[in-house]
Amino acid sequence: MRRFILVTALLAALPVWAGPQDILNGYAAQAKQENPGFKGFSAAAGERFYHTKGSTGVSCASCHTDNPRAQGSHRTTARNIAPIAPVANRERLTDPAKVEKWFGRNCRDAQGRACTTQEKGDFIAYLLSIK
Amino acid sequence: MKKILVWDLPTRLFHWLLAAGFATAWITAGSEEWMAVHTFAGWMMLGLVVFRLVWGFAGNRYARFSSFLFSPKAAIAYGKDVLTGRAKRHIGHNPAGSWAIYLMLLMVPLVVVAGLVTIGAEDGAGPFANMLPEAMGHDLKELHEAIATGMLVLVGVHVLGVIVESRVHKENLALSMITGKKEGQPEDDARRPYRIAGAALLALAVAGAAMFFGTPAAAEHEEHEHERGERSYSRAVVADNAKWRAECSSCHMAFPPAMLPARSWTRMMAEQDKHFGESLGIDPATTKEILAFLQKNAGDVVQAGHASRFARSVPAGQTTQRITETSGWKREHDEVSAKAWRNVQSKANCAACHQGAEKGNFDEDDVRIPKTPIGAKKP
């Protein structure tokens, strides 16, 4: 009985303790739902996306620098931005709500529009490919 | 020639206490932490000058004004004589030294009153509390500092004159201001040292210090200092809220709510889709919580030192969004050079200079302006 409670508790805690891979899996499930022909995420596409300037003239790299392992800086306030790659910053990609919030904000600021699920997944795949 | 008494005890004490007062005031200038000591030094100097004016009629023959009434012309002529090494020896005050005294007696009240009026305008404290508007505080401070600098120059000239004269006449003038004695003819001896009057003067100075630092007024003053410094700002931020801190510190530091009035914050959260060119997209529940926190701790609601002054400088009916556009903020930063602003990149980057900004400490003493651009980061 005690073991059962422990296992249940651990399982219940799983979504809270989400790792980057869990978040990526979440986006994959969503992508499959949206597009029956979904063929998985591509780190290479994510890397291209990272450096692509949108209608605003801004790319992810504008603030997060060309190296996702490096500390970035806000373009107008000069606020330090901790490295975005999980390999350099273990707090990254651990909270699904936070990830969604920042995609929401930054896709608009950089691309001038919301990102597609495919783009989000590619982006995370790229960050996870950085060792 | 024999040792004779020239300077009576009160005159000597006046000289050295004034010198100590000026040195103390000069060293403690500009430091909020030492403001109470600075203010006391000023009051003591003012008291000493009042005493000296009385003593100029009541003291011994060399202390009386009647013994050193010289024209400015005589002072300049004497100064030239000192430079060429032909200056005549005076037992009492010489013409140049006399003018140093006159000027000092004039400048001390000026500098002290200017300082007190500054405190009155900037902090609403002291005998001239709120006599002049806060906006004039800066100019008053400049005036106060200009007079003080003039006094320092005067002190420098005086010390130089003492050194040169001591050499020319082969006597230690500084030492005679301590012992009161000089070499001279017996008929020039002032005879009366006024030891009791001297002891009374010293007792008065000590009593003044005890009163200033030991009374409720001093405690209040000290409390006021703290309020102006670290504590008040901390208080503005210590009123903390996790959501406010998390949301408002991701793109810039979490600016203390006290820096803007409640109506500015209301507009800020209502217009979060165009927040200085970015869209925040904070969920409604979080938005509501943050706005409530901001309104409760806004600068027109709470009193938090300079922070709330920024808020209170926003004209009625206006909802200024940039803290750096409030006249209160501008007033505090008008001395920052264009180069310094380039080095810190953004006026939103408080912590570039205010070392404790993130903890709510904007104390002037903890400001370090970067000498090189802070953006020069390694990849």
Side-chain angles (χ1 to χ4, degrees):
Chain A
M1 186 60 191
R2 191 172 283 176
R3 180 169 295 174
F4 173 75
I5 292 171
L6 193 72
V7 169
T8 315
L10 278 175
L11 281 174
L14 207 65
V16 183
W17 285 80
Q21 193 60 48
D22 300 313
I23 291 175
L24 186 60
N25 292 345
Y27 281 114
Q30 199 185 327
K32 239 176 253 166
Q33 222 170 39
E34 288 168 6
N35 171 19
F38 171 67
K39 293 195 191 66
F41 294 127
S42 149
E47 183 169 6
R48 276 196 302 279
F49 182 74
Y50 184 85
H51 296 283
T52 304
K53 282 182 181 157
S55 57
T56 55
V58 177
S59 71
C60 309
S62 301
C63 300
H64 293 287
T65 80
D66 280 328
N67 175 7
R69 277 175 301 236
Q71 177 181 274
S73 163
H74 193 279
R75 286 174 322 122
T76 51
T77 68
R79 177 79 154 172
N80 286 341
I81 301 173
I84 191 170
V87 67
N89 178 3
R90 295 182 63 180
E91 281 180 38
R92 289 292 187 190
L93 304 176
T94 54
D95 178 352
K98 211 170 168 181
V99 171
E100 242 334 88
K101 183 181 92 181
W102 284 104
F103 272 134
R105 253 183 219 177
N106 292 349
C107 288
R108 245 191 320 262
D109 293 332
Q111 300 300 318
R113 59 170 173 81
C115 293
T116 63
T117 309
Q118 180 75 45
E119 283 169 335
K120 291 177 187 174
D122 289 345
F123 179 85
I124 294 175
Y126 165 54
L127 292 185
L128 291 180
S129 74
I130 298 166
K131 298 292 175 217
Chain B
M1 296 279 265
K2 59 173 235 158
K3 284 271 179 202
I4 57 164
L5 178 78
V6 178
W7 312 121
D8 58 32
L9 183 59
T11 302
R12 275 135 59 195
L13 280 170
F14 160 80
H15 176 271
W16 293 114
L17 284 173
L18 192 73
F22 184 68
T24 304
W26 187 270
I27 293 165
T28 55
S31 158
E32 294 197 355
E33 201 182 331
W34 290 90
M35 197 60 198
V37 176
H38 184 81
T39 310
F40 173 73
W43 279 116
M44 184 179 80
M45 287 167 76
L46 191 65
L48 285 166
V49 165
V50 170
F51 161 78
R52 189 63 183 88
L53 291 175
V54 173
W55 204 243
F57 298 98
N60 81 10
R61 58 191 271 198
Y62 296 110
R64 291 181 191 215
F65 293 127
S66 56
S67 77
F68 57 99
L69 286 173
F70 295 99
S71 67
K73 235 185 228 169
I76 294 166
Y78 189 87
K80 281 183 186 157
D81 286 350
V82 169
L83 290 177
T84 49
R86 288 179 297 141
K88 196 172 134 256
R89 180 170 184 254
H90 287 250
I91 296 291
H93 294 297
N94 68 50
S98 306
W99 273 87
I101 297 169
Y102 299 150
L103 286 173
M104 213 53 169
L105 292 181
L106 179 75
M107 287 169 100
V108 166
L110 284 180
V111 81
V112 174
V113 171
L116 289 172
V117 174
T118 305
I119 295 176
E122 283 205 329
D123 308 322
F128 303 110
N130 302 317
M131 191 184 77
L132 291 174
E134 198 202 325
M136 284 182 68
H138 183 78
D139 291 335
L140 287 166
K141 203 173 180 179
E142 299 251 294
L143 177 71
H144 174 67
E145 287 168 3
I147 303 170
T149 307
M151 290 169 75
L152 187 71
V153 171
L154 185 62
V155 168
V157 172
H158 164 64
V159 170
L160 216 70
V162 167
I163 293 171
V164 172
E165 272 218 53
S166 294
R167 294 204 152 198
V168 170
H169 298 126
K170 297 190 173 62
E171 63 179 337
N172 189 336
L173 288 176
L175 185 68
S176 18
M177 191 45 83
I178 296 171
T179 61
K181 301 238 161 70
K182 280 188 174 185
E183 294 278 336
Q185 303 302 325
E187 65 267 27
D188 287 332
D189 195 319
R191 280 186 291 278
R192 308 169 71 175
Y194 289 105
R195 286 198 190 92
I196 292 168
L201 176 68
L202 196 61
L204 215 62
V206 172
M211 254 175 65
F212 187 87
F213 292 105
T215 58
E220 193 186 310
H221 188 90
E222 206 149 288
E223 201 173 292
H224 184 73
E225 290 312 316
H226 283 303
E227 203 169 297
R228 290 175 51 208
E230 221 171 299
R231 275 188 202 173
S232 62
Y233 296 114
S234 306
R235 200 172 59 200
V237 178
V238 159
D240 209 342
N241 176 290
K243 289 202 171 126
W244 161 75
R245 189 169 282 281
E247 291 294 343
C248 302
S249 72
S250 39
C251 296
H252 51 68
M253 70 163 271
F255 301 119
M259 289 188 178
L260 284 178
R263 56 185 187 278
S264 291
W265 293 121
T266 307
R267 180 178 155 205
M268 185 115 29
M269 296 311 284
E271 298 180 353
Q272 59 164 294
D273 58 324
K274 36 182 195 271
H275 187 79
F276 304 100
E278 290 185 24
S279 178
L280 303 182
I282 302 171
D283 67 75
T286 309
T287 301
K288 200 177 158 200
E289 183 179 332
I290 292 175
L291 180 59
F293 169 75
L294 289 170
Q295 285 172 332
K296 193 178 153 214
N297 296 286
D300 56 340
V301 177
V302 300
Q303 185 59 262
H306 283 52
S308 29
R309 285 215 204 121
F310 298 170
R312 281 156 209 246
S313 73
V314 175
Q318 288 191 25
T319 49
T320 304
Q321 297 288 285
R322 280 185 202 275
I323 294 163
T324 54
E325 278 171 7
T326 65
S327 59
W329 183 93
K330 284 181 185 164
R331 200 152 56 229
E332 292 292 330
H333 295 84
D334 59 356
E335 280 178 336
V336 180
S337 71
K339 181 170 181 273
W341 285 125
R342 276 196 301 279
N343 284 346
V344 305
Q345 282 184 48
S346 164
K347 284 179 180 169
N349 198 358
C350 307
C353 303
H354 294 278
Q355 305 289 300
E358 300 271 359
K359 290 194 209 85
N361 171 12
F362 290 86
D363 199 300
E364 212 171 328
D365 294 347
D366 299 320
V367 170
R368 305 278 178 279
I369 295 176
K371 301 226 162 32
T372 53
I374 50 145
K377 279 186 219 90
K378 292 134 220 117

